[in-house]
């Protein structure tokens, strides 16, 4: 099936790490000639990325706000519209996906794309990158969604992303942790060692992967890791951020303090990434969906830093309450 | 670009690329998993076999020790006509898994030319022969490459060059991809220069860049390093934190990748990384080797040390450099219709059962633990947690 002339329903969650995917999906689908309805969970808000929704409205994206969980039948809030495609960036578990899946089936939706989570993987810790065949947590809500879609015989494809950033992100922790400390000349506490690898992906690339599956019958029933094809080390992020803000990268890494996270017992979220390697391999999507990431982190950090400055963060105070604990537990 | 259908059929059921039918199977130890059994059923090769691999006349430079040896077997199995050029110093012997009759057939159906590739007069012996393809498996310096390839101007369909992923510049962003920055100061500069020379003369070249190759008959003590220590129930001494990721590639998968270049003109002028799908941490290699030996991986004793603190003299204390070193094989998968058959555990098990155990039985192991003893003595003296920072 072709995107041009098709109709797509995007179900978008309230925000967080996946918050701006709906925006980019809508934009890219409209650019491809698809009719788009963006069903946003909750009430209209000026929080990013939703403060940019007027851009979508100018592109004739139909934006609907509702309490998605409270809808027993989406047809009423969607005014009886029919859809060829569903992009589900909202469901969290079996209970929440069921009504959306039922709506999709009633509508004869041809392809149901689900934004799942790479966080469900349980690698042994010895082998990376993580492939789709890696063991996953049984109790993962997103895994339940995938199983439910399969059991309900919905034509589904699932995408498992890692950490997402973008121009309209409201979840800035991943990168601000580094920008805060590098720009303010603060020690940079990092668990264990700087060689630990993670992946950061531009939301536009996540969206384009979801769209690349449309019309590909062989993608139905498949899961795809959804991330950049470059993994970066923590000290690599420090060097990259330093370079972006005009500091000497080899000097910046001297501010890194390696700590033992077991002894430090930091509050959740004190460090934005995991204590150990965690990177998913997106090459199944590159090989089978002919998808390519268009963004490189090093290029994106330039506009990210510009946004950081315009939000007043360069001049602002940094919350280092957890840092002292980490430094006290240095390796 | 190869069609998606080709990739799909190549994958067969149960492989990484096509997993949905097995997505809901409960996890189980690899050796008994349905995934493993399905793949084993479809061996010897997961490659997409062309309807007829058009037989070619092939010259193999090297071919006596390890990767060339397995390639030699692979080429014969595909019906190619093989001439082997080497110094004849290594006695011919069967490859693990090669039956006596297959070994005899290999010997009798191969043409042998003895000579030193660094000697032009020796090389001239093959200059008058007709070849469709040359596999240059043991070249180090650009002069060697030049001397050989210049003997065959416009006469070849393929010149396949054994390069190395060691040419890549160390990077914060991984994996290494073809086209990434290379290190002009690396140990493998000769291979870089060779690739550049081949490119400059528009030779029909393809370069393959492996990370660490392993498997039965490996003359480089990579997996042997770990097997030796674990066999003696010794701790495994690891430089740094043990979380550096290294790429490993099974020699049989490498041989198939090399052989798959033939008959694929779109591979000409390209470099391809070689290795497995998953890199392993140093700690992980120790654990996987233990598992491959039938030992309990959780009981492996690991001792980490800062190599800058210790002096090992001229001895090599560990097979890997303490940095990330792994590549993406995506381009090889796409262009060469190739997928690795082995995952790390299966590959290490193959090496253990079909090589190490035999060496052990025949008393051929060096069991030189001098550098380990230096590490362990220092560890006893110093109770600080070691870091590389």
């Amino acid at each position: 099936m072709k995107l041009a002339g098709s109709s797509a329903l995007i179900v978008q969650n309230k925000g967080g790490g996946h918050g701006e995917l709906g925006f980019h999906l809508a934009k890219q689908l409209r650019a491809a000639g698809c009719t788009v309805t963006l069903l946003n969970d909750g009430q209209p808000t000026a929080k990013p990325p939703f403060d940019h929704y007027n851009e979508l409205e100018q592109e004739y994206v139909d934006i609907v706000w509702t309490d998605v969980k409270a809808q027993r039948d989406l047809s009423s809030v969607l005014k009886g519209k029919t859809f060829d495609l569903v992009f589900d960036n909202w469901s969290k578990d079996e209970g929440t996906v069921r009504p959306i899946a039922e709506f999709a089936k009633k509508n004869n939706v041809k392809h149901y794309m689900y934004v799942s989570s790479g966080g469900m993987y349980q690698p042994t810790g010895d082998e990376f990158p993580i492939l789709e065949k890696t063991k996953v947590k049984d109790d993962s809500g997103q895994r339940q969604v995938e199983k439910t879609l399969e059991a309900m015989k919905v034509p589904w494809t699932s995408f498992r992303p890692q950490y997402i950033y973008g121009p309209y992100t409201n979840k800035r922790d991943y990168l601000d942790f580094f920008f805060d400390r590098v720009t303010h000349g603060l020690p940079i506490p990092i668990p264990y060692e700087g060689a630990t690898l993670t992946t950061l992906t531009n939301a536009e690339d996540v969206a384009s992967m979801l769209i690349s599956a449309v019309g590909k019958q062989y993608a139905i029933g498949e899961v795809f890791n959804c991330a950049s094809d470059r993994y970066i080390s923590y000290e690599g992020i420090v060097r990259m951020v330093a370079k972006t803000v005009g500091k000497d990268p080899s000097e910046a890494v001297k501010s890194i303090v390696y700590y033992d996270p077991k002894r430090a017992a930091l509050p959740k979220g004190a460090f934005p990434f995991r204590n150990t390697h965690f990177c998913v391999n997106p090459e199944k999507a590159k090989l089978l969906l002919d998808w390519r990431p268009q963004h490189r982190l090093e290029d994106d950090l330039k506009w990210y830093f510009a946004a950081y400055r315009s939000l007043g963060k360069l001049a602002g105070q940094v919350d280092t309450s957890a840092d002292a604990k980490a430094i006290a537990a240095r390796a | 670009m190869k069609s998606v259908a080709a990739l799909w059929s190549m994958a067969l059921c149960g492989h990484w690329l096509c997993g949905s039918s097995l997505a809901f199977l409960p996890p189980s130890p690899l050796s008994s998993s349905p995934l493993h059994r399905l793949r084993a059923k479809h061996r010897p090769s997961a490659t997409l076999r062309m309807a007829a691999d058009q037989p070619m006349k092939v010259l193999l430079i090297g071919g006596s020790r390890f990767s060339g040896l397995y390639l030699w077997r692979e080429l014969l199995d595909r019906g190619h006509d093989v001439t082997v050029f080497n110094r004849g110093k290594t006695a011919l012997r069967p490859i693990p898994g090669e039956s006596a009759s297959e070994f005899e057939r290999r010997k009798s159906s191969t043409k042998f030319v003895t000579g030193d590739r660094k000697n032009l007069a020796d090389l001239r012996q093959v200059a008058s022969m007709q070849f469709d393809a040359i596999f240059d498996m043991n070249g180090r310096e650009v002069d060697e490459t030049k001397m050989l390839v210049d003997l065959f101007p416009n006469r070849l369909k393929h010149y396949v060059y054994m390069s190395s992923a060691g040419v890549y510049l160390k990077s914060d962003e991984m994996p290494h991809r073809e086209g990434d920055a290379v290190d002009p100061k690396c140990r493998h500069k000769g291979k870089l220069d060779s690739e550049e020379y081949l490119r400059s003369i528009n030779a029909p070249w393809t370069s393959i860049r492996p990370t660490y190759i392993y498997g039965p008959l490996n003359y480089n003590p990579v997996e042997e390093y770990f097997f030796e220590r674990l066999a003696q129930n010794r701790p495994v001494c690891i430089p740094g934190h043990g979380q550096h990721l290294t790429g490993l590639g099974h020699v049989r998968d490498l041989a198939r990748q090399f052989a798959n270049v033939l008959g694929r003109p779109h591979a000409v002028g390209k470099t391809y990384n070689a290795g497995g799908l998953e890199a392993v941490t140093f700690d992980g290699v120790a654990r996987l080797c233990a598992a491959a030996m039938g030992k309990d991986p959780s009981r492996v004793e690991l001792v980490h040390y800062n190599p800058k603190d210790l002096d090992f003299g001229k001895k090599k204390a560990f097979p890997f450099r303490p940095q990330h070193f792994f590549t993406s094989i995506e381009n090889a998968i796409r262009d060469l219709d190739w997928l690795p058959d082995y995952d790390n555990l299966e590959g290490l098990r193959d090496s253990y059962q079909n090589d190490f155990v035999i060496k052990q039985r025949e008393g051929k192991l060096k069991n030189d633990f001098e550098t380990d003893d230096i590490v362990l003595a220092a560890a006893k003296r110093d109770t600080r947690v070691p870091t590389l920072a």
Side-chain angles (χ1 to χ4, degrees):
Chain A
M1 59 167 300
K2 288 216 273 253
L3 278 171
S6 299
S7 58
L9 169 68
I10 303 168
V11 189
Q12 170 60 49
N13 64 26
K14 286 198 169 81
H18 293 188
E20 67 181 295
L21 292 179
F23 176 90
H24 296 291
L25 280 166
K27 227 174 166 206
Q28 291 178 28
L29 287 165
R30 281 301 297 139
C34 199
T35 322
V36 179
T37 299
L38 177 48
L39 180 62
N40 246 76
D41 186 24
Q43 288 305 302
T45 161
K47 226 174 24 144
F50 311 119
D51 55 344
H52 288 269
Y53 273 18
N54 59 316
E55 287 177 43
L56 298 177
E57 283 168 327
Q58 283 165 18
E59 296 293 326
Y60 307 106
V61 173
D62 186 10
I63 299 177
V64 180
W65 291 85
T66 195
D67 180 349
V68 179
K69 200 160 180 185
Q71 304 303 319
R72 238 174 284 133
D73 180 1
L74 285 176
S75 322
S76 53
V77 75
L78 292 170
K79 301 193 184 74
K81 274 201 275 192
T82 58
F83 300 96
D84 302 305
L85 305 167
V86 169
F87 293 83
D88 179 356
N89 187 32
W90 178 78
S91 303
K92 278 186 164 34
D93 49 34
E94 184 185 346
T96 45
V97 73
R98 248 179 209 287
I100 320 259
E102 269 154 14
F103 173 80
K105 287 188 79 172
K106 261 202 319 203
N107 260 259
N108 264 319
V109 159
K110 304 209 180 47
H111 208 158
Y112 188 117
M113 260 65 61
Y114 175 56
V115 183
S116 183
S117 170
M120 69 168 75
Y121 284 116
Q122 278 186 320
T124 62
D126 288 342
E127 291 175 286
F128 290 96
I130 294 167
L131 303 178
E132 287 82 353
K133 64 183 174 81
T134 300
K135 184 177 188 293
V136 299
K137 291 184 207 157
D138 297 315
D139 63 355
S140 147
Q142 290 94 346
R143 183 79 191 112
Q144 298 310 312
V145 170
E146 292 171 355
K147 284 185 175 172
T148 305
L149 291 168
E150 173 74 10
M152 292 176 67
K153 293 191 173 31
V154 172
W156 67 279
T157 303
S158 174
F159 300 85
R160 297 175 177 169
Q162 268 195 264
Y163 304 106
I164 300 171
Y165 66 92
Y168 306 132
T169 188
N170 60 14
K171 188 167 168 62
R172 301 184 58 92
D173 331 9
Y174 310 134
L175 292 168
D176 280 3
F177 176 90
F178 296 90
F179 276 96
D180 282 346
R181 287 153 184 80
V182 171
T183 58
H184 291 71
L186 295 166
I188 310 165
I190 285 180
Y192 294 127
E193 57 268 335
T196 307
L197 295 175
T198 189
T199 326
L200 286 147
T201 310
N202 188 309
E204 289 179 4
D205 287 335
V206 175
S208 68
M209 188 193 284
L210 268 69
I211 294 170
S212 73
V214 172
K216 296 181 168 100
Q217 283 299 111
Y218 52 81
I220 289 171
E222 293 292 328
V223 301
F224 292 93
N225 288 336
C226 182
S228 167
D229 62 0
R230 298 285 189 173
Y231 326 127
I232 183 156
S233 66
Y234 296 160
E235 62 183 324
I237 298 176
V238 171
R239 277 193 272 265
M240 224 185 243
V241 165
K243 192 171 169 205
T244 304
V245 306
K247 297 208 173 199
D248 180 351
S250 49
E251 282 302 308
V253 291
K254 292 182 183 166
S255 298
I256 298 177
V257 177
Y258 297 106
Y259 64 91
D260 181 344
K262 292 202 188 86
R263 280 191 295 129
L266 300 179
K268 194 168 194 262
F271 183 72
F273 302 122
R274 298 192 181 216
N275 293 331
T276 51
H277 292 310
F278 205 90
C279 42
V280 301
N281 178 331
E283 287 168 352
K284 179 177 171 180
K286 292 186 79 183
L287 288 163
L288 296 179
L289 304 178
D290 204 20
W291 169 85
R292 301 276 183 284
Q294 299 299 310
H295 297 272
R296 291 291 294 264
L297 184 62
E298 188 157 0
D299 302 326
D300 285 348
L301 288 187
K302 296 192 181 86
W303 54 254
Y304 189 92
F305 181 48
Y308 180 87
R309 284 203 309 268
S310 67
L311 285 165
K313 286 175 171 262
L314 196 54
Q317 289 266 59
V318 177
D319 178 6
T320 55
S321 47
D323 290 25
K325 267 184 118 184
I327 293 165
R330 69 197 299 162
Chain B
M1 194 202 94
K2 265 297 158 184
S3 73
V4 168
L7 278 170
W8 209 256
S9 65
M10 175 177 74
L12 302 174
C13 279
H15 199 284
W16 156 61
L17 282 178
C18 169
S20 67
S21 56
L22 299 175
F24 301 98
L25 287 172
S28 53
L30 185 65
S31 61
S32 61
S33 77
L35 188 73
H36 176 90
R37 289 200 297 274
L38 262 175
R39 286 173 56 195
K41 199 172 87 172
H42 291 286
R43 292 248 180 87
S45 172
T47 49
L48 175 66
R49 293 292 170 102
M50 306 296 254
D53 263 26
Q54 196 209 354
M56 291 198 182
K57 289 186 169 58
V58 172
L59 173 63
L60 180 60
I61 310 289
S64 54
R65 276 205 297 179
F66 189 38
S67 46
L69 185 58
Y70 285 86
L71 175 59
W72 178 4
R73 179 77 252 167
E74 184 67 29
L75 291 167
L76 284 176
D77 285 347
R78 296 182 188 205
H80 297 298
D81 183 286
V82 180
T83 300
V84 168
F85 177 99
N86 60 43
R87 289 175 301 171
K89 285 207 160 140
T90 313
L92 292 175
R93 60 196 160 160
I95 298 163
E98 190 180 39
S99 71
S101 63
E102 283 172 332
F103 178 48
E104 289 311 309
R105 191 174 70 81
R106 176 158 62 92
K107 284 192 287 188
S108 62
S109 63
T110 301
K111 290 187 206 49
F112 293 93
V113 179
T114 307
D116 185 339
R117 69 167 297 160
K118 295 187 195 177
N119 183 313
L120 187 54
D122 286 357
L123 271 184
R124 285 226 169 88
Q125 296 173 84
V126 291
S128 54
M129 299 164 78
Q130 293 303 320
F131 295 111
D132 299 303
I134 296 177
F135 286 92
D136 184 351
M137 304 304 282
N138 63 10
R140 279 199 204 290
E141 304 302 334
V142 66
D143 295 339
E144 295 162 14
T145 312
K146 197 171 186 303
M147 199 155 57
L148 175 59
V149 72
D150 284 357
L151 291 172
F152 298 90
N154 299 315
R155 291 164 57 192
L156 300 170
K157 294 196 178 77
H158 294 285
Y159 187 98
V160 190
Y161 185 71
M162 168 68 99
S163 184
S164 168
V167 302
Y168 290 113
L169 187 64
K170 186 175 165 184
S171 176
D172 289 330
E173 285 188 290
M174 298 298 286
H176 291 305
R177 290 185 177 278
E178 300 90 347
D180 282 358
V182 292
D183 182 359
K185 296 197 211 110
C186 71
R187 218 163 46 85
H188 304 280
K189 182 157 196 327
K191 294 203 188 264
L192 258 184
D193 293 342
S194 294
E195 289 177 349
E196 192 44 51
Y197 180 72
L198 292 165
R199 184 181 297 120
S200 72
I201 61 168
N202 267 325
W205 67 281
T206 302
S207 168
I208 308 268
R209 295 175 175 173
T211 47
Y212 291 102
I213 310 168
Y214 73 98
L217 301 184
N218 193 1
Y219 55 81
N220 194 2
V222 171
E223 66 272 46
E224 184 186 271
Y225 175 92
F226 297 89
F227 291 148
E228 271 186 330
R229 280 135 186 91
L230 294 166
Q232 303 286 330
N233 292 315
R234 289 187 64 106
V236 180
C237 298
I238 295 185
H241 42 69
Q243 291 303 300
H244 285 118
L245 284 158
T246 189
L248 298 174
H250 195 283
V251 67
R252 277 188 220 275
D253 287 332
L254 184 70
R256 291 190 301 105
Q257 183 179 0
F258 267 86
N260 271 27
V261 173
L262 298 181
R264 288 177 172 81
H266 54 272
V268 166
K270 305 249 167 60
T271 52
Y272 294 103
N273 293 328
L277 284 167
E278 293 162 292
V280 204
T281 64
F282 291 176
D283 288 359
V285 177
R287 283 192 276 264
L288 283 177
C289 283
M293 297 164 81
K295 289 177 179 285
D296 180 353
S298 65
R299 302 190 66 133
V300 173
E301 193 192 341
L302 302 172
V303 174
H304 298 103
Y305 65 96
N306 186 342
K308 296 190 185 131
D309 290 344
L310 300 170
D311 180 7
F312 299 114
K314 284 194 163 59
K315 289 213 160 166
K316 196 172 174 189
F318 193 72
F320 311 126
R321 257 180 300 164
Q323 65 183 66
H324 290 314
F325 181 56
F326 62 100
T327 60
S328 159
I329 54 170
E330 179 197 329
N331 289 335
I333 294 173
R334 184 183 287 111
D335 284 4
L336 303 179
D337 301 304
W338 165 87
L339 273 166
D341 269 342
Y342 289 90
D343 62 31
N344 293 314
L345 179 58
E346 289 173 342
L348 290 167
R349 189 178 284 128
D350 177 43
S351 188
Y352 176 70
Q353 287 171 353
N354 296 310
D355 193 18
F356 184 83
V357 158
I358 296 160
K359 283 193 288 208
Q360 196 176 33
R361 209 165 45 220
E362 294 174 355
K364 294 207 169 121
L365 298 171
K366 292 203 194 78
N367 283 331
D368 178 354
F369 304 119
E370 190 188 314
T371 57
D372 303 58
D373 291 337
I374 294 172
V375 172
L376 294 170
K380 277 206 183 80
R381 293 192 300 268
D382 185 354
T383 52
R384 274 181 318 147
V385 175
T387 66
L388 258 191

